[in-house]
Amino acid sequence: MADERDQVVVTFERREYALTPSQGEVILPTHGRLIHHDPACQHLSDSHGLARFPDPDGLLWRRLIDSAPSENIEARGEFARNLGLLNGTGRPLVGPCGCVLRPLSPTQAGALRPWPLADAVAAFDPGAYAKTLSSMGEAADDIRRAFPWEDWPTLPLQRYALGQGDSAQTRPYCYLLEFGSNALGSIAGGSSIKHLIYQRSQDASWWHDPRYGDVEEAWQAVRTGIVAAVTAAHEGRMADIDAIDAIRSGPSLVSKTLRIYAPEGALPVYGTDHVRHFLQRLTGQPATGLERFALRARLKEAVDTKHYFAGWSYDLVAEFLYWWADPSRTQQIVKIAPGHDASLWEQCLSGGYIAVGWDEVPDLRSYADKEEFLDAFRTALSDEYNGHRPKISAKANEVWKLLSLCPGDLVVANKGTSEILGVGRVKGEGYVWRPELTDHRHTVDVDWDESYAGRLDEPERSWATVTVKDVPAPLWTRIRRAGTVPADAAAGPQRVIAAARPLDPELRPIADALERRGQAVLFGPPGTGKTYTALRFAVRWLGDLSPELPGVDPYAEPGTPAFAAALGALTAAGRLTTVTFHPSYGYEDFVEGFRPVNGGSGGLVLDRTDGVFKRVCAAAAADPGHPYLVVVDELNRGNLPKIFGELITLLEKDKRGYPIVLPLSQQQFTVPDNVSLIGTMNTADRSIRMLDAAIRRRFVFLELLPDSGPLQGCHVDQLHLADLLDVLNQRIRFHLDREKQIGQAFFLPGGAPVDSAAALAAIVRGEILPLLQEYAYDDYALLAAFLGADLIDPDTHTVRDISDEGLITALYTELQLKGSTAE
């Protein structure tokens, strides 16, 4: 096998991989479609007599994956065919095997050295970015023409700030920076606070730093601060910008302003985390102890000292840095229906965009923030949805989702609940308001790929009434299978390594928490999917990082045989361990203790035995190249200080690998870096406030609240399940508290939305009603306030004896028609 000491970290499509360099040639398989670097790779069916392909500079792997996005297998194949890169049956190769690129966790990536800068520069093609650089220059020129630098000392607030009427028409400076100049890099998203001052369109009031007495005083300070920042950058005093208080809350806006007016002073990298990441990659040293613009100054210095970049513009250097070591780790995939019954598909396909309606609310970029947009949406479309607030909020969220789509995200165009028309990769500015269209003016620019056209194996019920909806990883796998994309390029033990997508947005915080602290707790009301999420994360995260394990599909859908097989394989390999805490669970179960065992004469004797966690740590210490995960269900039901003992100290991230002597065995014990722990906790049983303070300090707590998203568009008869969940929880919060809410998992038996009156009635009678009775302490007036008098008789303290269909009608009338107006 290849020597792991030769491996380096490379980044591709928002993922980090361990690269095993080639030895001047790549190995061609007989039947597979992946290139190999290791002749002993277990994915090669025959290690003798395999063909080789010259790779003198060792960069063929990068040229192959750069030839097209991982989703575009056909383009990859065309590149390989033109090069003559074929397998034993004459088929073109489309990606690298795990013996070339192996997915890494951030912790694993931190333990390897980065892909050498010299090798990366040799593989980088500056000519491929000529059009990008030209667009950046043109965008900056356009803004400088509209806002000449000499005008800035006296620039009026009306020409600067968002929120004053239709910003898309008046195009103030902040509008251009956030929405009109994506060629220069995006600062979109989040709150308008990053613009330092803006007007709220709903009441025409101004937001500004409250230290200033009025808006004019605030604007004078902000304008002076921006002028001072650009001047400092021109004079090589970038670090001095950190001392300008008036602009301290707008680092991304100021950084982009420097790209426009002082391009020689800084790189166009706007996120401070990104600056820190690139600086560490270039210098090999952690970038700590510096303020934001001092960091930017240090990054410029690091670039200036590298002879590789001689003659390069800072724009080109930034493009290289994101190609070499992109710190982004998220990608969105959404489905969007192109009109009713796909009536707009041909128009969208030829125009290179996806379009939705709701034209009653204009350009999304004209709103200062999401709250302002939601208010406008409610005002414009309240009658359309009969004033039903949950429905209005859900539809508003669908429209607002378009604004979050960035280049590289994917859009699935669907017709009905089963047909996939194509998949588009978001490009350019992403969201575009097209006033020239007669309707469906909210659009997103995409490059379409019709090779995904096909039909799903099972319909997605919610797609019937939802226009815009997130696509989770399991559904994305089904969509890939539905199209004409070659199946052997996307699944099985020889997965194309570049097809390993970043973690889903709901799983990303768990990975980040484990990276920061080593352990996390998922807490929330019952039915919010805590254990489900922990196990789904385990399969996705461990599966991606264990490509050598047979039977592990990281994209397996919970509830399927493949998911069960993945859990079994990870558990059998020791990478995943699951335990459940309870009141009698102790230190001897988790760490070590005396247990009765059979004696030599047939009796029982006490013998010291290792506990679950100690055994995991021993296995992980012997296998430092792979992650090990312990999932503790019902964490708060155990006596945690007693169970953890001295682990309270060793779980600290900076104490990992630090040895202590266990008091019972007198053995040295450490917790390795590659061991992580996830706990789940039901807050209806016990609040996190009741946990031992030392325990709380050592865990990251991630709250899982009820989410009606998976139920959007799903009905049982006339009752919309999302409305049922949202309104019921609104009433529970009003009468009780947020920790007593009902989770969406109650309505997702087997992972799929309940679909019949009988099944839903059984869930309400057998699961939800008993829980609400417990919450209400048998106060039937309170139960009636939750579910309505048609279902609960507060006088006789009984649940009315009605049919399943009658129960659904009662819930529909009470929770969907009366809705949140009933208290």
Side-chain angles (χ1 to χ4, degrees):
M1 294 294 290
D3 192 338
E4 291 189 0
R5 291 174 297 181
D6 295 333
Q7 294 182 343
V8 295
V9 178
V10 299
T11 303
F12 177 69
E13 290 191 344
R14 308 181 190 185
R15 285 297 306 266
E16 291 174 310
Y17 300 91
L19 166 67
T20 300
S22 79
Q23 302 303 311
E25 59 184 10
V26 298
I27 304 163
L28 309 182
T30 301
H31 300 287
R33 301 192 65 188
L34 310 180
I35 63 171
H36 297 259
H37 285 177
D38 187 354
C41 178
Q42 63 180 346
H43 296 149
L44 289 168
S45 57
D46 182 4
S47 60
H48 302 288
L50 292 172
R52 264 55 171 182
F53 192 92
D55 186 22
D57 58 6
L59 296 173
L60 187 57
W61 64 273
R62 186 77 208 202
R63 296 190 180 101
L64 178 59
I65 63 177
D66 278 348
S67 66
S70 59
E71 288 81 18
N72 195 342
I73 300 299
E74 288 186 354
R76 290 253 189 107
E78 182 180 357
F79 171 84
R81 191 180 298 281
N82 291 336
L83 200 62
L85 191 62
L86 310 173
N87 68 8
T89 63
R91 300 187 71 191
L93 304 185
V94 295
C97 176
C99 69
V100 180
L101 295 181
R102 176 171 58 86
L104 296 172
S105 71
T107 299
Q108 292 173 311
L112 296 177
R113 63 190 179 95
W115 187 29
L117 183 60
D119 292 352
V121 172
F124 183 70
D125 180 12
Y129 293 86
K131 185 176 180 180
T132 298
L133 299 182
S134 176
S135 297
M136 294 178 74
E138 292 172 2
D141 288 342
D142 288 344
I143 294 179
R144 285 192 292 265
R145 281 191 291 269
F147 296 88
W149 179 242
E150 56 270 20
D151 290 354
W152 268 91
T154 58
L155 189 74
L157 175 60
Q158 288 69 28
R159 295 203 61 212
Y160 172 85
L162 283 172
Q164 307 166 84
D166 188 351
S167 294
Q169 292 294 323
T170 59
R171 298 175 72 79
Y173 181 74
C174 289
Y175 175 88
L176 291 181
L177 246 63
E178 183 160 7
F179 305 115
S181 56
N182 276 5
L184 293 172
S186 175
I187 62 171
S191 168
S192 290
I193 290 174
K194 64 174 175 284
H195 292 298
L196 304 168
I197 184 169
Y198 67 91
Q199 189 174 38
R200 303 181 180 94
S201 60
Q202 65 267 38
D203 59 6
S205 64
W206 286 93
W207 183 92
H208 56 78
D209 189 323
R211 83 176 79 182
Y212 303 113
D214 56 37
V215 66
E216 285 303 322
E217 182 186 353
W219 170 233
Q220 288 183 22
V222 167
R223 183 178 58 197
T224 301
I226 291 174
V227 171
V230 174
T231 302
H234 274 304
E235 297 174 355
R237 298 182 292 104
M238 179 78 68
D240 290 352
I241 299 175
D242 289 315
I244 306 175
D245 285 343
I247 57 175
R248 189 176 292 275
S249 298
S252 59
L253 176 135
V254 174
S255 295
K256 194 165 183 179
T257 296
L258 297 183
R259 164 58 188 86
I260 296 166
Y261 294 105
E264 79 290 352
L267 278 76
V269 179
Y270 309 135
T272 301
D273 289 341
H274 289 197
V275 174
R276 186 177 289 109
H277 171 81
F278 291 139
L279 185 55
Q280 182 166 354
R281 279 299 182 93
L282 286 171
T283 65
Q285 301 296 322
T288 58
L290 295 175
E291 290 199 61
R292 288 171 290 192
F293 286 92
L295 276 171
R296 287 160 171 79
R298 185 71 60 85
L299 177 61
K300 178 180 179 298
E301 292 171 6
V303 168
D304 290 342
T305 61
K306 303 295 183 184
H307 70 274
Y308 304 106
F309 303 132
W312 290 25
S313 69
Y314 285 145
D315 288 346
L316 181 58
V317 173
E319 293 296 326
F320 168 80
L321 291 177
Y322 279 101
W323 174 88
W324 176 47
D326 190 345
S328 303
R329 293 180 184 171
T330 58
Q331 179 190 46
Q332 294 190 88
I333 303 180
V334 299
K335 85 91 192 172
I336 303 178
H340 178 69
D341 201 30
S343 59
L344 299 175
W345 172 236
E346 292 302 326
Q347 175 183 326
C348 290
L349 181 62
S350 60
Y353 59 79
I354 190 71
V356 303
W358 295 289
D359 296 339
E360 294 86 349
V361 285
D363 191 340
L364 301 181
R365 297 168 300 186
S366 66
Y367 300 98
D369 51 33
K370 184 178 180 179
E371 287 305 311
E372 184 174 302
F373 167 75
L374 290 176
D375 288 341
F377 192 94
R378 292 188 189 103
T379 300
L381 289 137
S382 180
D383 291 343
E384 174 78 14
Y385 299 109
N386 298 315
H388 190 54
R389 294 182 68 87
K391 176 70 71 177
I392 294 170
S393 296
K395 292 301 178 182
N397 286 332
E398 288 186 49
V399 186
W400 190 254
K401 182 75 174 180
L402 303 183
L403 201 55
S404 71
L405 296 177
C406 299
D409 291 336
L410 300 179
V411 173
V412 177
N414 70 294
K415 179 180 180 180
T417 60
S418 299
E419 187 173 355
I420 307 301
L421 302 170
V423 172
R425 179 177 286 265
V426 177
K427 64 179 181 179
E429 295 186 8
Y431 171 80
V432 177
W433 169 256
R434 285 184 159 84
E436 69 276 12
L437 299 178
T438 57
D439 53 43
H440 290 75
R441 299 183 179 96
H442 296 288
T443 71
V444 176
D445 283 343
V446 297
D447 285 323
W448 288 112
D449 181 353
E450 290 185 276
S451 68
Y452 287 85
R455 297 190 70 83
L456 293 175
D457 49 1
E458 294 288 340
E460 278 294 306
R461 288 172 50 208
S462 65
W463 286 9
T465 56
V466 176
T467 302
V468 182
K469 187 162 183 155
D470 288 327
V471 173
L475 178 54
W476 173 237
T477 300
R478 292 172 54 207
I479 290 170
R480 288 175 64 88
R481 292 173 182 157
T484 58
V485 179
D488 62 344
Q494 295 194 57
R495 299 190 303 270
V496 174
I497 207 68
R501 289 181 44 240
L503 289 171
D504 297 344
E506 64 268 27
L507 300 182
R508 182 76 256 165
I510 304 176
D512 292 341
L514 297 185
E515 172 67 14
R516 293 197 312 273
R517 303 297 295 274
Q519 46 276 335
V521 172
L522 309 182
F523 72 99
T528 48
K530 297 175 288 296
T531 303
Y532 168 93
T533 300
L535 294 179
R536 191 162 73 88
F537 173 82
V539 168
R540 181 72 169 83
W541 188 65
L542 293 174
D544 259 356
L545 302 176
S546 308
E548 80 288 354
L549 288 181
V552 178
D553 178 4
Y555 303 102
E557 190 169 359
T560 64
F563 189 80
L567 286 175
L570 291 169
T571 301
R575 307 282 172 81
L576 173 65
T577 301
T578 56
V579 297
T580 301
F581 282 1
H582 49 78
S584 62
Y585 201 90
Y587 178 87
E588 62 276 11
D589 301 296
F590 203 59
V591 184
E592 65 175 13
F594 286 104
R595 289 288 190 180
V597 297
N598 289 326
S601 59
L604 295 177
V605 297
L606 290 177
D607 189 22
R608 184 193 57 78
T609 59
D610 291 338
V612 171
F613 192 72
K614 187 179 178 184
R615 294 196 298 271
V616 171
C617 289
D623 184 22
H626 293 100
Y628 283 70
L629 179 64
V630 178
V631 175
V632 179
D633 209 13
E634 304 286 358
L635 180 81
N636 54 318
R637 293 190 64 229
N639 184 336
L640 299 186
K642 176 183 176 183
I643 293 172
F644 283 110
E646 54 276 348
L647 292 184
I648 293 297
T649 297
L650 297 185
L651 288 175
E652 291 272 19
K653 193 68 172 177
D654 60 355
K655 302 297 190 303
R656 294 298 180 92
Y658 180 81
I660 65 168
V661 175
L662 294 177
L664 184 62
S665 64
Q666 292 297 300
Q667 295 176 342
Q668 279 199 343
F669 175 66
T670 65
V671 177
D673 280 336
N674 57 328
V675 173
S676 300
L677 190 151
I678 297 176
T680 69
M681 179 175 164
N682 190 335
T683 53
D685 298 334
R686 186 183 185 191
S687 169
I688 63 172
R689 295 187 297 272
M690 303 296 291
L691 289 182
D692 182 272
I695 298 290
R696 290 203 307 270
R697 288 196 300 270
R698 285 161 172 83
F699 283 80
V700 176
F701 284 81
L702 302 173
E703 187 172 27
L704 298 186
L705 289 173
D707 176 17
S708 63
L711 304 174
Q712 288 292 339
C714 299
H715 293 76
V716 172
D717 296 338
Q718 73 272 45
L719 176 61
H720 187 203
L721 294 178
D723 289 348
L724 168 62
L725 181 67
D726 287 339
V727 178
L728 179 57
N729 280 330
Q730 188 171 24
R731 295 183 177 193
I732 291 173
R733 291 194 303 270
F734 178 82
H735 291 285
L736 297 175
D737 57 62
R738 67 199 302 269
E739 294 182 348
K740 298 292 195 299
Q741 296 179 86
I742 300 294
Q744 68 278 2
F746 285 99
F747 306 105
L748 295 165
V754 62
D755 59 2
S756 71
L760 179 55
I763 290 169
V764 172
R765 292 189 179 106
E767 300 176 45
I768 294 176
L769 257 173
L771 189 61
L772 293 178
Q773 286 174 314
E774 178 185 341
Y775 290 166
Y777 298 100
D778 288 331
D779 180 348
Y780 278 77
L782 182 54
L783 279 179
F786 292 149
L787 298 172
D790 288 345
L791 184 57
I792 305 296
D793 187 340
D795 296 327
T796 62
H797 289 206
T798 59
V799 180
R800 298 189 190 277
D801 185 14
I802 54 179
S803 67
D804 294 344
E805 291 75 13
L807 185 147
I808 303 306
T809 299
L811 291 175
Y812 167 72
T813 302
E814 180 66 26
L815 296 176
Q816 192 166 333
L817 296 186
K818 294 182 181 178
S820 56
T821 59
E823 296 182 356

